[in-house]
Amino acid sequence: MKRREFIQTAAFAAAASASVSSVKGQEGGPFSLPTTRFRAGAQHELPAWAFRNELPVPAVPLPTAIGTFEELASRAVFGLGDTAPLGDCFHGVALEWGATPKHWAAYGADLTKMPGVESWNDKRRFFLTVPAHDGSGPISNWSGFKIKCYKLQVLETHKRMRMDAAFDARLYGYNGLVPGPTLKMRLGEPVVVRYENHLETEVSVHLHGGHNPSHSDGFPSFYVLQGQSRDYFYPNMLPLYISAKGENGKPSTFAVDVGESQSTMWYHDHAMDATAYNASKGLAGVAPCFGEAELKLIHDHVLPGLGARSCTDYTNIPYTGKAQEVLFDLTPEGMVTNIRRGADTTVEKLLKQLEDPENPGYFRRELEPYYNPYDIPLVLQDKVIDQGTGQIAYDLTDHNGYLGDSFFVNGEAWPYAEVANRKYRLRILDGANARVFRLRIMKAEDFAKAQRFGIDALDGGGGAAEIAGEHGAKYDRHSSKFLRIGKDSWLWSEAVEKQSIVLAMANRADVVVDFGALTKDLGAGWDTQEFVLVNTMPQFDGRGPKVKLEDGGDPRVLPLPFDAKGHPLVELNRPIGLLKFVVKRTAGAEDATIEKGTPLIATHRPIKDDEVLAVREFIFERGKGAWQINGRFYDPYIANSAPVLDGAEEWVLRNGGGGWWHPIHIHLESHQLISYEKDFAADEVVNLVDPPPRNTLLNPDNVTHLMDQIEVHGLHDTQVLGPNTVARIRMRHRTWNGPFVFHCHNLEHEDMRMMYNFEPVAAPHNPNIAPAARTHGNDVTLNGDSNNKKSHVGEPPWHHAAVPKTPITDAGQEQIPARPKP
């Protein structure tokens, strides 16, 4: 089935399933009943069975093979009866797996090395090393550890989404899991994942926050077609930066940019025109990556964990062809107490020893890499569930943004989690299509009262007002403090105390909650205490958070996408419950030492004015009934910008008005926030014309100083554009030559074409050119084995590169000239 046929079929199926209402007692057949839709005014209502099911934590899959390039490149390594060697599947593997791009000569690559083993080993030299967290020696930035291979099948699966739903829902899952398995990776550890598509639609997998080749990045038209496979190559290496220049101004010395080491990544579908629907059906998963700086914080008990035990991956034990068998002594609770060496055994036997007998293909929980019971991922999503059919109700004709009134954490509706009275690290992901969360933690009894009567009731007041009138003070009096330690894929320079977090689509919040401190005043006579993670952000449609439910289409929304002194965000009077924490009293456990102000990682290298080679402006706006950038819809065949490799640029991201929120995600690289501006007067201009007149924002105020400065100076991969705002960001473009995309992460906006391509190009090159035909990425992928010259399909044959017949100038007119040299 072609993708267009699928979308049409899915639209009919969605409409049909949505038409069956849970309302009883009506006559005329199921299709005469009202359509199941998002109940905007009932989001805070909880079913009677809320908080009865335990929070699931996605399992970690076992590698199908571990070895060197020589051992893996020319044989079948993916198991499950798959006889195709690595890279020899229909879509192949990224060129960089076995070849050396010419532009890597600047880094020190030896271009005389033949593709394959020689080229692979040469990369270990010119991509340099990083110090190990435990002082054991340097780790190669490329292939510091043996390569791991995984196979994930993209399958239809079935699950009861609500306890009161009549049937199981049809979902899409990686290995049939929703969310997908947790992929744990480490800096210097190359990984290849073979994604095999068993659905009736194309998919494309994006490792969000990663620094990976274009053919492994999830470019929208680099599909995994139905019934086919693609080998996604994740080097898990850090980019290099120019540390010195020669007399001719060319790079003479490079160094590893250790400040770019990722932490909390995630993966999700990125297929062109179908991302929102595929994601709503379940295609997402968490992928933490452990850099040496983060491992040291865990090793030294600064961050929650088991110290050295939580820095251990038993599959990384050194071996050559064979491994020393590892035998484990476990406590009744499943904790490792002793490691003993046995006789030589194969890698396969080692993996078998680590396998969960009750969950074949996955690690035993206590033996998984970097095992840490105090590090919990939380994937937040919202959906509309038709209780009569059990299906996810999704309207393919609505491109404003999908909201739901059933709330899920790790795929479970309103779950609970048992925790001890100590510090926990929570990696929180906004995995929703279009919802912005404002997260707080409340005592369960306070939440129950506020959820029933409103937050005013906790201060002796009453009433059922929809929105809490007084800015956060009421919630601040009744919500707990915690530490925030990172945003998106990166840790911050120090821990910051918070009472709430505004989290937009695709953003991650890395937080530490001290449940011991929250229960320290209870004395010795308690056994359990309950807290609830709540959402207090008022949002009633895909436009974004706003102050009231019935607004007649008024696009005026909340003033800023973050808390700022003098410009408060209003909050719901009745909080929305998401997850209940049941704290159990324990004693004797060694706790983490992190507290407010604790240093975490070294600050990244800021991009200075004289490094900026070009400045570009991108206006995100509504037009022609859909979503545009600089007045254009997405075209997969052109390069909308062509930055110079190893150069830096400043991008001006401008919200074109209309009251919409646009979280802008840029692939490949982190970015640094330079300034955030807001035209408050424009908020008072109500214009419901579609498209609205382009708002030039003539009187923007620089509000950067109102933001948390630790966050401002951290790294980002998704920048939220609130209404009538402008974000100025800077980024370097390194290592890979594209193509890559940037887009709005309101997934319905992305699909209805608020997306652009950028294509880093090696110098000498003029970056300030109007968009032209894409020059990279149309080539096929290949097998890295030098003895196997067979090529494979990178893009489907019916997706050929289109060369524009006339110059494309409209988008170029929006570009700002290069900054003059001082």
Side-chain angles (χ1 to χ4, degrees):
M1 178 182 289
K2 298 294 185 186
R3 179 164 48 88
R4 296 296 176 190
E5 298 173 326
F6 162 76
I7 290 176
Q8 294 170 1
T9 303
F12 173 79
S17 66
S19 66
V20 182
S21 172
S22 60
V23 178
K24 305 298 182 182
Q26 300 192 33
E27 300 178 355
F31 294 102
S32 67
L33 299 178
T35 300
T36 299
R37 294 190 181 277
F38 168 57
R39 300 178 303 148
Q43 300 175 78
H44 66 280
E45 295 179 1
L46 289 176
W49 45 266
F51 306 135
R52 291 185 186 177
N53 289 341
E54 189 169 6
L55 174 77
V57 177
V60 178
L62 280 168
T64 57
I66 304 172
T68 63
F69 186 92
E70 299 93 320
E71 294 166 341
L72 301 176
S74 59
R75 67 182 181 92
V77 296
F78 292 103
L80 299 176
D82 191 334
T83 60
L86 193 155
D88 201 15
C89 55
F90 181 79
H91 295 288
V93 69
L95 288 162
E96 293 85 356
W97 162 257
T100 300
K102 291 183 179 180
H103 68 267
W104 283 1
Y107 302 138
D110 185 348
L111 298 183
T112 67
K113 299 294 184 183
M114 295 295 293
V117 173
E118 286 188 323
S119 172
W120 178 273
N121 290 333
D122 187 48
K123 297 177 181 67
R124 291 174 56 87
R125 175 181 60 83
F126 68 81
F127 276 125
L128 307 176
T129 62
V130 295
H133 70 279
D134 56 3
S136 58
I139 292 174
S140 176
N141 188 30
W142 181 286
S143 193
F145 300 97
K146 299 290 180 72
I147 304 162
K148 288 184 178 178
C149 300
Y150 298 87
K151 183 171 182 176
L152 295 184
Q153 298 181 334
V154 190
L155 303 167
E156 182 174 295
T157 188
H158 301 85
K159 178 181 177 180
R160 195 70 55 97
M161 298 301 290
R162 290 178 54 119
M163 292 177 66
D164 51 9
F167 302 100
D168 288 354
R170 295 177 60 190
L171 304 174
Y172 298 162
Y174 298 108
N175 275 8
L177 299 181
V178 178
T182 296
L183 290 174
K184 290 189 175 183
M185 298 180 282
R186 182 172 177 177
L187 172 63
E189 176 185 81
V191 167
V192 179
V193 183
R194 174 166 290 179
Y195 285 97
E196 188 176 78
N197 183 12
H198 293 269
L199 300 179
E200 294 179 338
T201 181
E202 302 95 322
V203 298
S204 179
V205 185
H206 173 49
L207 182 57
H208 188 121
H211 185 79
N212 299 305
S214 174
H215 275 283
S216 297
D217 184 66
F219 189 78
S221 64
F222 291 179
Y223 299 118
V224 184
L225 293 177
Q226 298 92 327
Q228 303 295 346
S229 301
R230 180 188 293 268
D231 290 346
Y232 284 75
F233 168 45
Y234 304 131
N236 289 320
M237 46 80 67
L238 294 177
L240 304 181
Y241 70 92
I242 301 170
S243 58
K245 292 184 178 181
E247 294 181 357
N248 58 2
K250 292 184 178 181
S252 62
T253 308
F254 285 85
V256 180
D257 198 348
V258 293
E260 293 280 350
S261 189
Q262 294 99 337
S263 181
T264 305
M265 301 186 294
W266 66 297
Y267 62 101
H268 59 86
D269 186 68
H270 214 290
M272 191 166 67
D273 301 339
T275 296
Y277 181 75
N278 289 351
S280 74
K281 298 279 279 187
L283 289 183
V286 179
C289 187
F290 294 87
E292 295 307 304
E294 179 176 338
L295 287 174
K296 180 169 178 56
L297 293 171
I298 299 171
H299 182 277
D300 296 345
H301 294 280
V302 177
L303 290 179
L306 300 173
R309 172 68 186 88
S310 292
C311 300
T312 301
D313 178 357
Y314 293 121
T315 63
N316 272 337
I317 296 172
Y319 58 83
T320 303
K322 292 185 177 182
Q324 290 292 319
E325 183 179 13
V326 183
L327 306 175
F328 308 100
D329 293 333
L330 305 177
T331 68
E333 294 77 25
M335 302 296 289
V336 177
T337 59
N338 187 36
I339 302 175
R340 294 176 284 113
R341 302 288 180 176
D344 282 352
T345 186
T346 63
V347 176
E348 289 74 15
K349 288 183 179 179
L350 171 63
L351 293 175
K352 193 66 177 178
Q353 188 180 6
L354 302 174
E355 186 174 34
D356 185 349
E358 298 182 0
N359 193 14
Y362 295 87
F363 283 94
R364 290 174 58 181
R365 181 68 70 184
E366 68 278 2
L367 298 180
E368 68 186 26
Y370 317 109
Y371 170 66
N372 191 342
Y374 310 117
D375 183 345
I376 304 175
L378 300 179
V379 181
L380 309 182
Q381 295 171 314
D382 59 327
K383 304 178 189 296
V384 177
I385 305 299
D386 184 330
Q387 292 166 248
T389 65
Q391 304 308 306
I392 298 172
Y394 186 92
D395 184 358
L396 282 164
T397 66
D398 183 357
H399 308 302
N400 291 331
Y402 175 68
L403 293 184
D405 46 35
S406 293
F407 291 87
F408 298 84
V409 185
N410 293 355
E412 190 70 41
W414 297 286
Y416 76 92
E418 287 191 359
V419 295
N421 54 326
R422 55 156 294 150
K423 295 186 181 79
Y424 280 77
R425 180 179 181 180
L426 307 177
R427 303 178 192 239
I428 308 175
L429 160 67
D430 183 344
N433 282 34
R435 181 175 291 279
V436 181
F437 292 88
R438 180 171 183 160
L439 302 175
R440 292 182 177 272
I441 297 175
M442 302 179 67
K443 290 182 179 179
E445 55 267 31
D446 288 347
F447 162 73
K449 190 172 183 180
Q451 191 265 343
R452 184 176 180 184
F453 301 110
I455 190 67
D456 289 341
L458 298 184
D459 292 320
E466 188 176 290
I467 302 296
E470 182 183 355
H471 165 62
K474 298 175 182 177
Y475 274 107
D476 285 348
R477 287 194 290 271
H478 301 285
S479 58
S480 303
K481 295 180 180 179
F482 51 84
L483 300 176
R484 186 167 185 182
I485 62 172
K487 178 189 177 185
D488 294 346
S489 288
W490 298 274
L491 293 177
W492 283 350
S493 58
E494 65 180 62
V496 179
E497 189 174 75
K498 296 284 187 180
Q499 274 190 280
S500 71
I501 293 174
V502 175
L503 204 62
M505 299 79 83
N507 280 144
R508 280 84 73 212
D510 206 338
V511 306
V512 173
V513 180
D514 188 351
F515 292 105
L518 300 186
T519 55
K520 67 179 182 180
D521 295 331
L522 297 179
W526 67 281
D527 293 317
T528 63
Q529 181 74 10
E530 297 179 347
F531 297 84
V532 179
L533 178 68
V534 304
N535 172 33
T536 65
M537 184 69 84
Q539 185 174 357
F540 311 108
D541 59 38
R543 190 185 297 268
K546 59 180 58 182
V547 298
K548 56 184 178 179
L549 172 59
E550 302 297 338
D551 61 6
D554 187 338
R556 287 179 290 194
V557 295
L558 303 189
L560 285 168
F562 51 86
D563 258 334
K565 186 177 181 180
H567 303 285
L569 288 175
V570 296
E571 300 185 60
L572 287 167
N573 194 34
R574 300 173 187 265
I576 299 171
L578 303 173
L579 167 68
K580 177 179 286 187
F581 294 104
V582 180
V583 184
K584 292 196 170 183
R585 186 161 62 98
T586 58
E590 183 176 4
D591 210 343
T593 61
I594 187 171
E595 57 186 19
K596 177 182 177 181
T598 296
L600 297 174
I601 62 170
T603 306
H604 62 81
R605 297 179 308 109
I607 300 175
K608 300 178 181 178
D609 287 357
D610 59 4
E611 295 182 66
V612 176
L613 301 180
V615 181
R616 307 178 193 271
E617 181 176 47
F618 300 104
I619 302 176
F620 299 83
E621 57 194 341
R622 187 172 177 83
K624 300 180 181 178
W627 305 99
Q628 300 177 325
I629 304 176
N630 289 356
R632 290 187 59 84
F633 293 123
Y634 177 63
D635 182 342
Y637 303 123
I638 66 173
N640 300 98
S641 64
V644 176
L645 270 166
D646 293 309
E649 294 195 348
E650 181 172 310
W651 288 9
V652 181
L653 310 179
R654 184 184 297 270
N655 191 326
W660 300 90
W661 285 45
H662 300 300
I664 307 304
H665 171 49
I666 304 170
H667 289 216
L668 176 66
E669 294 285 4
S670 68
H671 63 258
Q672 302 173 22
L673 181 62
I674 303 304
S675 70
Y676 201 94
E677 301 171 4
K678 167 75 174 182
D679 189 340
F680 292 97
D683 284 354
E684 301 304 316
V685 178
V686 179
N687 195 315
L688 302 181
V689 176
D690 183 17
R694 179 170 289 185
N695 188 346
T696 56
L697 303 183
L698 296 178
N699 299 295
D701 294 331
N702 190 333
V703 296
T704 316
H705 66 285
L706 301 176
M707 303 175 67
D708 188 302
Q709 292 305 294
I710 297 298
E711 178 176 354
V712 169
H713 296 298
L715 294 175
H716 315 251
D717 64 40
T718 304
Q719 194 64 237
V720 185
L721 296 183
N724 305 311
T725 60
V726 178
R728 292 179 176 267
I729 65 171
R730 290 179 183 173
M731 73 192 80
R732 299 179 174 94
H733 300 91
R734 298 162 292 186
T735 316
W736 318 107
N737 61 359
F740 298 94
V741 295
F742 61 98
H743 57 87
C744 178
H745 223 287
N746 180 320
L747 297 183
E748 282 70 30
H749 295 187
E750 173 188 335
D751 280 349
M752 286 306 288
R753 299 238 165 178
M754 187 174 268
M755 182 155 55
Y756 257 18
N757 299 322
F758 68 97
E759 183 178 342
V761 178
H765 165 68
N766 176 14
N768 241 10
I769 59 174
R774 233 180 58 205
T775 61
H776 291 73
N778 300 322
D779 46 7
V780 295
T781 51
L782 52 67
N783 188 303
D785 181 6
S786 61
N787 297 318
N788 185 347
K789 303 299 183 182
K790 181 179 179 181
S791 296
H792 304 274
V793 177
E795 289 186 88
W798 36 270
H799 271 271
H800 56 84
V803 179
K805 295 181 180 180
T806 58
I808 300 170
T809 60
D810 52 351
Q813 291 171 354
E814 301 295 345
Q815 293 179 343
I816 299 174
R819 181 189 299 267
K821 296 292 183 181

